Structures are given as structure tokens and as C-alpha cells.
Amino acid sequence: MPSSLRLVVDCSFDSFMLIKDVRKLHKQIQRCYAENRRALHPVQFYLTSLGGQLKQSMDEKDKGWVNWKDINIKTEHYTEVVAREDLVYLTSDSPNVLKELDPKKAYVIGGLVDHNHCKGITFERAKELGIKHAQLPLSSFVKMNSRKVLAVNHVFEIILAYLEKGSWQEAFFTILPQRKGVVAVNRDATDPQEKEDEMDSDSCSDPETTDQTEERA
């Protein structure tokens, strides 16, 4: 049973990323598409502001993307595709905690892979555009050893899992990788923190000056 809920991946951060990070975003989008196709309640999936390095990567690495089904791929910005009053930007910097999903809304996920060089950019963009914003209720249900900034596909898959299970906690524990040290809020994590790429953290600087930054494995 398809859901009427819309999930938008905002691809307008192309110029802030190195090509290696753009390729990671491409893989995350591929995962979102595949998971949505097999989901019990698939969402209305939108890619907006597609162009630049990302489109080049898709053309070179995955020519079949032009034949993808059940997805709305737009070169326009999401504000030109969806009414502003329907938009909710999902960002870990928002002070608003999402308690439930509104099937009439369009939830926006920032298409950004930046290794902590663009802190807060999606939150600032949402405020500048006068768009509602919220963060997933991670802290209410789970503890994490790493930052609560999630990869694009993790956010996407958590929402699919919530639509299926009707429980945020079940959705988080189903989707989040064990190496993030995820435990319930009433338990203590026993595994040491494992360092990994924060694949979509919200910070920003010139990618030309950060090419030498060491990635966290």
C-alpha cells in the first residue's frame, strides 16, 4: 500500500562537495530508490535540484537511472516543486522534535556528504526559506556513540520502517548500523566508539581547502 507521504532528497549542495563525496551521495540515493521499491508502504520519492557533479556521476556510473520508476526527478529546487506550507526539513540541528509523520507533508532530506565541513547548513537554509524544520526523535529512544547526524539513506530507511512498524524505536533499531553503538535510552552502551564517516553531517567550507582532510574509517 503506497503512502501519500512525500520524501524529498535536496540535491542543491553539489558545489559544496568533492567528487568522492558526490559519488557517496549517488550510492546513498541508489539505496533509497531500491529500499523504496521494496517497501511495504513506499513513499512518494522526489529528487530535486539534480545537476552538476551528481548528475555526471549518475550518467557515468548508472546510466539506467533514466529508467527509474516511481520517482520524481527534478532539476528545479524543491520549493518550486512542493508548496512551502507542506515542507518540513529534517535536520539534526532543529530544536523541534518530530513526534509523528503527517502524510500530507513533504519531508526534505539534505543531500550532503561533507565530513563535518558544513555544520548547520541545512538548518540555516530552512530558516532562510521560512520552511518548517524538525529532527528525528533519536534522543527520545536511543543512545548513540557517534553524532546523531545520519546518512541520507539511513534517514530515508528509518521513515520507511516507521511507516511499516508504527514505532520510532523499532525503526531506529532496525535501520541504524550496530557500529554506531546504538542502545535503548534506558541502557548503557558497552561497545567503544568506532569512528566512521559522518556521511551527511551539516557543516560547510570550501571543498578545495578540505581535500586533504583525513577521512574517518
Side-chain angles (χ1 to χ4, degrees):
M1 294 292 293
S3 170
S4 60
L5 185 142
R6 290 161 287 178
L7 269 184
V8 181
V9 176
D10 171 18
C11 301
S12 66
F13 302 100
D14 195 83
S15 62
F16 296 123
M17 292 186 288
L18 300 168
I19 187 60
K20 61 184 179 181
D21 290 333
V22 170
R23 288 171 180 157
K24 288 180 182 178
L25 174 60
H26 176 198
K27 290 181 180 179
Q28 292 174 22
I29 291 171
Q30 287 177 312
R31 179 66 180 266
C32 293
Y33 174 73
E35 292 300 321
N36 197 47
R37 291 279 288 171
R38 65 171 66 102
L40 184 63
H41 301 295
V43 297
Q44 310 302 310
F45 186 11
Y46 287 77
L47 279 185
T48 59
S49 299
L50 180 65
Q53 298 179 99
L54 178 58
K55 184 177 183 299
Q56 180 180 349
S57 177
M58 293 171 69
D59 288 339
E60 293 175 354
K61 306 290 184 180
D62 182 20
K63 292 181 173 62
W65 74 267
V66 295
N67 298 316
W68 283 0
K69 299 177 181 179
D70 301 319
I71 184 172
N72 301 282
I73 300 177
K74 305 290 186 180
T75 57
E76 296 89 356
H77 193 264
Y78 57 87
T79 55
E80 300 177 52
V81 177
V82 179
R84 294 195 185 213
E85 59 268 25
D86 291 344
L87 291 164
V88 179
Y89 214 116
L90 297 177
T91 168
S92 62
D93 294 298
S94 174
N96 306 319
V97 178
L98 192 67
K99 294 183 178 179
E100 57 185 9
L101 296 173
D102 184 343
K104 297 179 182 179
K105 297 295 185 182
Y107 294 91
V108 184
I109 304 170
L112 185 62
V113 179
D114 62 357
H115 303 286
N116 295 316
H117 302 308
C118 287
K119 186 174 178 59
I121 188 172
T122 56
F123 181 45
E124 292 303 321
R125 287 279 180 89
K127 290 194 297 181
E128 289 170 5
L129 293 170
I131 295 168
K132 293 178 182 177
H133 47 79
Q135 61 170 288
L136 295 179
L138 270 172
S139 300
S140 300
F141 296 95
V142 299
K143 293 180 181 179
M144 295 172 60
N145 279 336
S146 56
R147 284 189 65 199
K148 60 181 180 179
V149 179
L150 305 176
V152 170
N153 60 291
H154 288 155
V155 177
F156 197 101
E157 292 173 57
I158 285 168
I159 290 176
L160 290 178
Y162 176 80
L163 291 173
E164 177 179 343
K165 301 174 183 300
S167 163
W168 284 117
Q169 182 161 310
E170 284 189 55
F172 292 140
F173 277 90
T174 299
I175 302 303
L176 294 180
Q178 290 301 309
R179 59 181 175 171
K180 282 187 175 288
V182 178
V183 296
V185 291
N186 59 346
R187 294 174 53 195
D188 293 325
T190 56
D191 295 330
Q193 178 175 348
E194 293 190 36
K195 294 181 179 179
E196 65 170 344
D197 289 340
E198 292 297 342
M199 301 179 80
D200 70 340
S201 55
D202 296 342
S203 60
C204 192
S205 60
D206 185 350
E208 296 299 324
T209 66
T210 58
D211 194 22
Q212 300 303 316
T213 302
E214 182 179 356
E215 297 183 15
R216 291 177 291 170

